[in-house]
Each structure stands twice: as C-alpha cells, then as structure tokens.
Amino acid sequence: MPKNQIIAMILAGGQGSRLGVLTKNLAKPAVPFGSRYRIVDFTLSNCSNSGIETVGVLTQYQPLDLNTYIGNGQPWDLDRLYGGAFILPPYQKSRGSDWYKGTANAIYQNTQFVDNYEPKYVLILSGDHIYKMNYANMLKSHIDSNADATIAVIEVPWQEASRFGIMNTNKESYITEFDEKPQDPKSNLASMGVYIFTWKTLKKKLEEDEAEPSSSHDFGKDIIPSLLKDRRKLLAYHFSGYWKDVGTIESLWEANMDILDKPEDINLTDSSWRIYSRNPVKPAHYIGKGATVHNSCLTDGCVVEGCVEHSVIFNSVVVEKGAFVKDSILMPGSIIRKGAYLNKVIAGPEVVVGKNAKIGFTCFGESPYINTKICTNDITVIERGVTIKDNVEIPCNSMVENRDDIPESKSVIDNSSERKES
Amino acid sequence: MFINAMGLILADTSTSQMRELTKPRALAAVPFAGRYRIIDFMLSSLVNSGVISVGVLTSNKYKSLMDHLGNGAAWDLSRKNKGLYILPPFVNTESYGQTGDVDGLSGVLDFFRMNTFKYVIVGGGNVIFNTTFNDIVAVHEGSGADVSIMYNRDTAYLDENSLILDMDDNGWVESIYLNPVGRISDCVSLNVFIIKRELLIELIQQAISRGDRDMTLEGLLRRNNKLHMRGYEFSGSCLRINSVHSYFAATMRLLKDDVRKELFMNENRIFTKVKDEAPSLYSSDCEVSDSLISDGCRIYGNVEGSMLFRSVTVSPGAKLRNCIIMQNVHISEGCVLENVIIDKNSILRPGIKLIGQPNYPVLIGKGSVV
C-alpha cells in the first residue's frame, strides 16, 4: 500500500453510558477486554495489520486513560516516521470552538488533519467493536468498484435485525436503502460501523452537512442517507467472521465468554493477525497448591489460590484460598479475598472483594444497588477501585458504585485508606 | 534518577555447564522464568538504577541474543543519545587474533572511550536478581577502593565457576579464589563489580600489551594484585545459573512464594521483549497446581510444580510434574514427564514417558521431536 493512500479515523469519543460504572471515568474504547486487551486494541491492531500507518483517534469523553494507553502508538507498531497514531481531541479555533457534536462533525472538525496527509481514501471506524478484519481487502473492493463509499456489512440473525442499522442492497451489492433499526427489516445485512470514503466526496458532504442546521451530524443518521439521496455509489462490503458490538453490559460479558466458549471464532492465537496491546510487564501467573482453574483464561501477574470456573481474569488479579469465582470477569489488579463468592460479576480494575462476601449469589433480596436497566441477565458490575467489605451480600443485577446518596453504602463499601493491606 | 555509571554485561561464560541449553545461544540468552531471558534481570536492574548506556559483550552464538534485545526499546534503551550497544567481537589491529573476553574487550575500548561516565558496572550474564546499583556505587565512591565486588553468602550451588572472596575484617578483599579446594569463606561473588571507567580502560590496555590469552575479566582482576578491592554484600534474593542443575533448581525455587515476590512483586520491574501472545486458556478438565504459567498456553492435561513458557500446549491426558517447558512446545496426549526440561519449539509425540531426577533432569534440546 503506498504511503497514506488511506488514513484511518477512529471514533472514540462516545460516553458508552450503557456500560454503567465501567465507563464512569473511562472512555468505552479503553475498557479492558478479554484478559489482556482493551476494546480499542482490536481496531488499532486491524489498522496496523492491514498496513494502515496513520490513525487518528478522536476522543472527547473521559480521554485521559485512553490517551495514556495509546501514547505514541508503539505497541501497535504505529510509531511511524511519517504518520502514526494521533489523539485528536476537540480544540479551540480562532472563530468559535465546539465539542464534537456528532460522529460526522468530529471528522469535519479534523478536516485539516486529514488534508495534511492528502489521502485519497479515509477509513472511518468506531473503537468499540471486537473483530478482526483486513481493511486492505475492503479498500480493494472500494477502488475496484469505483464507489464513493463502501460500508462493511455482516449478516445478523433475522430476529435481531431490527436492533441494527440495516442495508438493503441490489444484486451487485450496491446499497439502495438504509434503515436505522427497522421494525420490519427487508434484509439482514447490518452495518458494522466501518466505512471507507473517497475523501473528496466525504469532505464535500461534511461541509454540506455542517451547514444544515437540522442535521444531527451523524454518519448513520445523516451522511449515509444524504449520499443515497444524491444517488452516490455506495457499496456493501460483505464481512463474515466474528464481530461483536460490546456496547452493553450483557454484550460485553458475552463477548468475553466467547473467548472461553468459542476460542476459534476470534482466534487470538493467530500469529498472522496478532492483537497487540500495551503490556503491563508482569511475570508469568501462578496457580497455587490446591487451586482449581477450569474453562478460564488468565494472563501475566495473576496469583490464583482459590477456585476459578469459566471466568476471564486480567493481569495482576489475586484470588485467595477458598474464594470461588464463576462466570466472572475480573479486571486488572482486582483482589478476591478468602472465602468470597462471585457469580456473574464484572469487577472493574483494582476492585477488592472482602472475606466471605457473596456477590451475585442470589437474585432475590433487596439492595440499593440493583439496576436492572443496565445490569441485565443477572450480571453484577463493580466500579473501579471499590472495596467491598467482608461478609457483605450483594444480589445479582446490581451496579455497585461509590455514591454519596446511598446511605447503606457505609456498610458495603470500605473507603479507608489501608484497604489494600491484607 | 541520576547515576554516574554505565553498564557492561558479559553475555557468555564459556565454562558454564548448560549442556544443550547453550548450544544454540549465549548463556545470557537462555530463557528463564516463563517470559524472560537471563540477561533481562541484570539489564533491568541497570535500567532501574538509572543507567542509560549499556554495552552487551558477546563472543559467539549471539543471534538469539540480538533477536531478543533488538534496539533495546523493551528496556527503554532505544535512545537518540546513549542506549543499548550490542558489542559482538570484531577483529581489529589491537586484538591480534586472540580469544577470550579480553579479545572481546579490546573491541569495546571504543565504547568506553566515547562515554564520559565515571564508573562502569560490569555484570556477568548468569545472575537472577532484582536490585539497583545506586547504593553500591555510592559506597564504592566513598570507600576509596579501585573495585567493589558484589557477593552474597549463598553457598548452596557452588561449582567450578564460583569465585570465592577472601576478605579481611574491614571488607577489603585479600584474594579471590576460583572454585577453591577446601573452605576459604562463604562469600561468593555475584560477578558484578564497580570500577572506574578509566581504570578499566587501563587494565584492558595492559592485558592486550602483555598478550594475555584466553583471559576472563575475573582473571583480569585476580592477577592484578595492585588493585584495592572491596566486597559489597548483597542480601536480597539471588539465583545463580551456571549449570543445568542450578538452572533447574533456580526455577523450582521460583515456585516458592518469597523468592518470586522479591524478584517480581518489587517496585522495580523486570522488563523483557513483549510477544503479544493471547491469554492462556484452561480447559474444563485440566488440573493445574503449584505452577507458573505464561501467556498463550493451552492446557488440557495435568500440570504440577512446573514452569510453562509462552504458547505451550499440554494435551488431554498428559501429566507433567516438576518440569520446565519452554516456548512453543507441544506435548501430545498421554505423555508422562517428570523432572524434564524441554527447550523451545520441540514436539513430544503421544504417550512419551520421560522421568528425570531432581539433581539430573532430562534435557531435550531446542526443536527436537521425541
């Protein structure tokens, strides 16, 4: 691929409010995923493996962690002499400044960045999907068909089609119609949020869209329908393979469990398409005498003395003797004390669960933390850095967080400073 | 953190008893503790002390070492100014075709001359520890000694390469013995010493002009009785690797909580080349206990008291006890292994049974098919 024929822009500014406390202080793309990754690693690694050397990451909501994580792009081989990885937050301009008002507006505000590289094509990505895809093949289809835009689509089960943006296509795979979450879908081809545009066309369209006061400045809602209205050539690029949107607690949990139940689907061991991540520099993990670990994945720096069943464990997690962890996701640095019981728990980074605490043990009982809107399917979520006191019981579908307005929290959450000492 | 010192690591020890482990690689490049190579410990300790200029001296079989070190980025030694220098042997007019460390050292005179640091921290490629050298450099500076040698009092695994220090009551070294007959003292050198850069240059030049052949740097110090040398006791955890036996024993000691904690749960981290393996996957009926497991492993069988490096597959029905299995080894169904070391990229066919002894483990060389 010649240099900067194409550059990628990753939309990483959304709040991801459906992930509840997991995104309280963290942008969704920076949420840990799959034992040793963060969600954005998949998109960044896809870029790098596809030979794309310039990647702009558009951040807005809680960007600090994400900025530090991406840094100079070195873990993804994106520290290039010409190009590389760039964090693109909204900035002040001589005439008025603004937050990113929508996905299309975010690209519009960075027109100058794109123009600097004079690319012929621009790849627009979202930083919150788990998949492996060679964008170079997609670009080839785009060039061969002489399209103005190419949209990656994936076949979804018909009964779920009404949850997605659905592309209706003709025989030659050109898009004739776009339905956002249709009641009666005419096709089951869902947009994956992966677009290649011919930059000239897109730039013009973004300028038009910006001048339109009624527009919400969104690719799905405004730009694509408007291009269709102009009778532009929009190609559907068929993708088959693992693809998962991890926008909700339930889908995040499922996608993590897919690594255990269907490891061949996403196939993280494929050395020809590595998923890269920033490494925590920890030693091999230790499984103690009398510990049992089944159907789980673990990574560097963990120490397991208790029992771990069907769980995804991140780096530096400690599971003490007599603790039992099942169907759970324990993010970096969590500590599960002796005798604690966890069922279907997503513990954020550096969570401490006290001795003999029971979380998700029962779905009955009352708790001020129950939040069935976000925590569906019996999953319990614990906010980053929260220490659960010894012997506490928390029913499933709870979202445990540090909140001053919950009077019971004093008996559940330990805010003393020595909480990390055992 | 500022330290007025540079580092030099001697990656080879021609006299080590590592059998097939050092057949394809230098001693310092021998894989250790799952995701590391022996050199990572000395290199990280230097970096954690604030050293930003490190030379790695190697005489042969350095391909694997160079693959591992690359440009030094993993140790934060990829720098515009200073950084990591791999110093393979090269023949120049000063070397007169000699062999041994001094021959190699003649080639590194340039490396010493272009740096302006006051001291050189010289380390062998066979010690496993996690420390910083700021204290020893400060003590050395105040002591007025020419050389300060790090030692500890761990005499458990002495062999023919062990240097024993004979010191007086004030910590001055009276003489150094190589694997002495009878007991001199329990002070065993860690093969790490501090010396003024200019003095080291002088010593090397002297050795070259005398035409000393096949001489190690330890020898350089031993034969020079004009040097004032002091011992510096290191009281932390330290593992020495000189033989297959000590390699095996050191790995088994890692399974013990205190040694592992001191080496790895330290505020100073041991850096190594990152491989971006997938997380390790445990099956529904595997049995794993008292073991250290690296990333990228697939475990279906039984693993007890063992060390698995990256991307090892343990098939259903395989039983491992007290084993060291290096990167990318495939262990097939029904294999029974006890006290076995298997080097990288090897394959064990189904049903193979190998039983070694703790003091003489079975060693399978790199890339073998058994």
Side-chain angles (χ1 to χ4, degrees):
Chain A
M1 192 184 291
K3 258 204 159 61
N4 293 331
Q5 180 187 22
I6 183 166
I7 74 169
M9 301 290 271
I10 301 179
L11 302 163
Q15 184 182 353
S17 54
R18 289 173 301 163
L19 289 182
V21 287
L22 291 180
T23 52
K24 200 171 180 180
N25 302 304
L26 194 66
K28 180 160 70 168
V31 169
F33 175 83
S35 182
R36 55 166 300 151
Y37 309 100
R38 303 221 189 189
I39 293 170
V40 74
D41 284 334
F42 288 81
T43 314
L44 286 172
S45 302
N46 284 341
C47 286
S48 173
N49 288 330
S50 303
I52 295 174
E53 303 202 326
T54 303
V55 180
V57 183
L58 298 111
T59 61
Q60 172 160 289
Y61 173 79
Q62 290 287 1
L64 298 183
D65 248 49
L66 186 61
N67 294 358
T68 334
Y69 184 68
I70 292 175
N72 67 348
Q74 186 270 335
W76 304 271
D77 225 359
L78 289 171
D79 53 336
R80 303 267 58 89
L81 211 47
Y82 300 103
F86 296 90
I87 303 284
L88 302 171
Y91 56 94
Q92 226 172 19
K93 299 161 196 78
S94 59
R95 204 173 299 172
S97 36
D98 216 337
W99 295 106
Y100 294 151
K101 285 173 285 184
T103 51
N105 176 257
I107 303 293
Y108 172 77
Q109 291 200 37
N110 287 287
T111 302
Q112 202 187 333
F113 172 82
V114 181
D115 275 341
N116 278 344
Y117 289 95
E118 299 178 51
K120 209 161 169 206
Y121 309 100
V122 172
L123 172 65
I124 309 289
L125 301 164
S126 50
D128 47 8
H129 295 141
I130 304 297
Y131 65 116
K132 296 199 298 193
M133 179 176 179
N134 192 336
Y135 304 131
N137 294 343
M138 183 174 167
L139 178 64
K140 190 169 182 298
S141 300
H142 179 80
I143 295 171
D144 290 350
S145 65
N146 205 14
D148 293 299
T150 299
I151 301 172
V153 293
I154 186 165
E155 281 185 38
V156 293
W158 277 97
Q159 64 270 25
E160 290 177 25
S162 55
R163 283 175 40 212
F164 294 93
I166 294 294
M167 302 289 167
N168 302 322
T169 59
N170 64 17
K171 267 186 237 150
E172 288 86 39
S173 270
Y174 286 106
I175 297 164
T176 54
E177 210 179 341
F178 172 69
D179 288 335
E180 181 71 28
K181 298 183 183 157
Q183 289 279 327
D184 298 303
K186 289 180 213 142
S187 112
N188 65 339
L189 295 176
S191 166
M192 296 165 62
V194 175
Y195 312 101
I196 290 178
F197 290 98
T198 302
W199 173 232
K200 230 195 235 150
T201 316
L202 179 64
K203 191 177 168 186
K204 194 161 153 266
K205 185 53 56 191
L206 288 174
E207 282 161 3
E208 283 172 29
D209 179 71
E210 194 56 26
E212 179 59 59
S214 65
S215 171
S216 57
H217 310 298
D218 184 89
F219 274 99
K221 288 188 195 114
D222 307 293
I223 302 292
I224 302 299
S226 170
L227 285 169
L228 281 171
K229 220 164 83 194
D230 293 354
R231 300 199 164 270
R232 290 287 191 170
K233 233 169 143 184
L234 267 66
L235 180 72
Y237 176 79
H238 289 258
F239 174 80
S240 58
Y242 187 86
W243 178 81
K244 190 121 188 162
D245 180 293
V246 286
T248 63
I249 289 292
E250 195 176 332
S251 64
L252 180 70
W253 183 84
E254 280 171 7
N256 272 287
M257 294 304 146
D258 282 347
I259 292 175
L260 308 176
D261 303 335
K262 302 180 265 184
E264 308 315 324
D265 279 9
I266 184 79
N267 192 8
L268 297 169
T269 53
D270 178 5
S271 57
S272 68
W273 204 269
R274 275 258 176 271
I275 303 302
Y276 306 106
S277 61
R278 199 171 276 279
N279 198 281
V281 194
K282 295 279 177 179
H285 62 264
Y286 177 73
I287 309 292
K289 279 180 191 142
T292 55
V293 180
H294 292 138
N295 258 338
S296 298
C297 63
L298 283 87
T299 187
D300 298 334
C302 302
V303 178
V304 178
E305 306 272 1
C307 177
V308 174
E309 297 278 342
H310 197 247
S311 295
V312 175
I313 313 289
F314 288 72
N315 80 73
S316 317
V317 165
V318 176
V319 178
E320 292 186 353
K321 267 206 173 79
F324 183 82
V325 177
K326 185 169 164 270
D327 297 334
S328 295
I329 299 164
L330 308 181
M331 292 185 183
S334 308
I335 300 171
I336 313 302
R337 297 268 182 239
K338 290 187 179 77
Y341 175 101
L342 274 68
N343 178 40
K344 269 196 158 182
V345 173
I346 303 179
E350 273 130 45
V351 159
V352 181
V353 176
K355 285 175 197 151
N356 302 315
K358 286 190 168 62
I359 302 178
F361 183 63
T362 157
C363 290
F364 312 104
E366 295 211 350
S367 163
Y369 296 108
I370 288 178
N371 183 337
T372 48
K373 213 172 133 199
I374 287 173
C375 300
T376 49
N377 200 12
D378 301 344
I379 299 165
T380 295
V381 181
I382 307 173
E383 186 190 346
R384 164 190 218 147
V386 160
T387 298
I388 309 264
K389 286 190 170 174
D390 296 351
N391 307 313
V392 163
E393 284 194 30
I394 294 170
C396 45
N397 295 324
S398 297
M399 186 158 81
V400 186
E401 60 182 313
N402 254 322
R403 266 170 58 184
D404 297 337
D405 57 337
I406 297 179
E408 292 93 329
S409 72
K410 278 203 183 101
S411 58
V412 175
I413 296 172
D414 188 350
N415 278 322
S416 60
S417 53
E418 302 100 52
R419 59 204 175 88
K420 287 259 158 176
E421 311 283 318
S422 54
Chain B
M1 198 185 329
F2 297 100
I3 183 167
N4 196 358
M6 57 195 288
L8 179 71
I9 300 178
L10 313 174
D12 294 288
T13 309
S14 47
T15 48
S16 70
Q17 310 252 307
M18 298 293 282
R19 289 158 45 195
E20 275 146 304
L21 289 176
T22 48
K23 210 170 148 193
R25 52 176 89 88
L27 176 62
V30 170
F32 185 74
R35 49 186 313 229
Y36 306 95
R37 306 245 178 183
I38 293 174
I39 195 172
D40 291 340
F41 295 84
M42 182 67 199
L43 198 50
S44 301
S45 295
L46 283 168
V47 168
N48 290 331
S49 311
V51 173
I52 57 164
S53 185
V54 181
V56 177
L57 185 67
T58 168
S59 61
N60 59 16
K61 297 178 285 193
Y62 44 81
K63 181 200 154 276
S64 133
L65 195 63
M66 293 186 49
D67 281 354
H68 180 66
L69 297 174
N71 64 355
W75 297 267
D76 212 9
L77 285 173
S78 154
R79 288 165 184 266
K80 212 161 191 172
N81 191 6
K82 315 275 184 302
L84 180 76
Y85 298 83
I86 298 178
L87 306 165
F90 65 95
V91 179
N92 63 7
T93 49
E94 281 178 298
S95 69
Y96 305 113
Q98 298 164 21
T99 53
D101 273 356
V102 168
D103 173 38
L105 283 172
S106 70
V108 305
L109 281 174
D110 272 350
F111 170 64
F112 289 134
R113 285 178 186 142
M114 73 183 195
N115 276 285
T116 52
F117 294 101
K118 196 168 176 193
Y119 298 101
V120 184
I121 304 166
V122 185
N126 69 335
V127 276
I128 305 290
F129 56 7
N130 183 357
T131 185
T132 52
F133 302 110
N134 308 69
D135 193 38
I136 178 174
V137 169
V139 170
H140 175 76
E141 198 158 22
S143 70
D146 296 319
V147 180
S148 289
I149 305 175
M150 270 174 107
Y151 70 91
N152 72 356
R153 294 179 187 273
D154 178 7
T155 52
Y157 295 100
L158 295 183
D159 55 33
E160 51 265 54
N161 293 315
S162 306
L163 287 175
I164 310 290
L165 307 183
D166 186 14
M167 292 188 296
D168 67 14
D169 296 342
N170 299 319
W172 291 96
V173 176
E174 292 183 331
S175 50
I176 303 174
Y177 297 86
L178 179 66
N179 190 28
V181 184
R183 193 181 172 88
I184 305 288
S185 82
D186 59 354
C187 302
V188 191
S189 159
L190 292 182
N191 297 346
V192 175
F193 28 91
I194 316 295
I195 186 168
K196 252 196 198 129
R197 182 178 57 90
E198 281 164 1
L199 180 60
L200 184 57
I201 291 175
E202 201 183 308
L203 288 180
I204 294 168
Q205 280 173 330
Q206 274 174 17
I208 291 169
S209 62
R210 277 204 306 268
D212 284 342
R213 283 184 153 266
D214 197 23
M215 215 168 75
T216 61
L217 197 63
E218 294 94 8
L220 204 70
L221 301 179
R222 283 208 302 145
R223 279 176 224 182
N224 202 320
N225 50 20
K226 284 188 200 132
L227 293 174
H228 295 288
M229 293 189 273
R230 282 188 72 86
Y232 177 91
E233 184 167 356
F234 176 71
S235 52
S237 280
C238 172
L239 307 165
R240 284 188 187 80
I241 315 278
N242 289 317
S243 61
V244 171
H245 177 208
S246 59
Y247 176 84
F248 188 75
T251 304
M252 292 304 147
R253 276 175 71 186
L254 269 190
L255 295 177
K256 287 197 189 126
D257 205 32
D258 45 344
V259 180
R260 200 175 63 244
K261 267 197 175 149
E262 207 176 320
L263 282 177
F264 299 118
M265 305 298 168
N266 193 307
E267 57 171 352
N268 291 314
R269 292 186 284 183
I270 302 297
F271 300 96
T272 189
K273 182 180 169 187
V274 171
K275 289 274 178 66
D276 289 288
E277 294 292 348
S280 278
L281 207 53
Y282 290 70
S283 81
S284 52
D285 37 29
C286 67
E287 272 181 46
V288 183
S289 77
D290 194 23
S291 295
L292 281 161
I293 317 279
S294 309
D295 271 353
C297 292
R298 293 278 173 279
I299 306 172
Y300 303 92
N302 292 15
V303 180
E304 190 195 331
S306 297
M307 168 91 248
L308 303 192
F309 285 62
R310 290 185 268 215
S311 299
V312 170
T313 305
V314 180
S315 303
K319 282 189 169 54
L320 273 62
R321 232 180 123 235
N322 301 346
C323 291
I324 302 173
I325 314 292
M326 290 190 197
Q327 194 180 316
N328 222 2
V329 169
H330 184 95
I331 295 167
S332 307
E333 289 82 359
C335 287
V336 178
L337 310 176
E338 205 174 317
N339 298 314
V340 176
I341 302 173
I342 304 178
D343 205 335
K344 278 171 77 173
N345 302 335
S346 296
I347 297 170
L348 261 71
R349 293 234 166 93
I352 300 288
K353 200 170 170 187
L354 295 170
I355 311 287
Q357 297 301 318
N359 61 355
Y360 200 89
V362 173
L363 174 59
I364 307 290
K366 186 178 171 183
S368 309
V369 178
V370 182

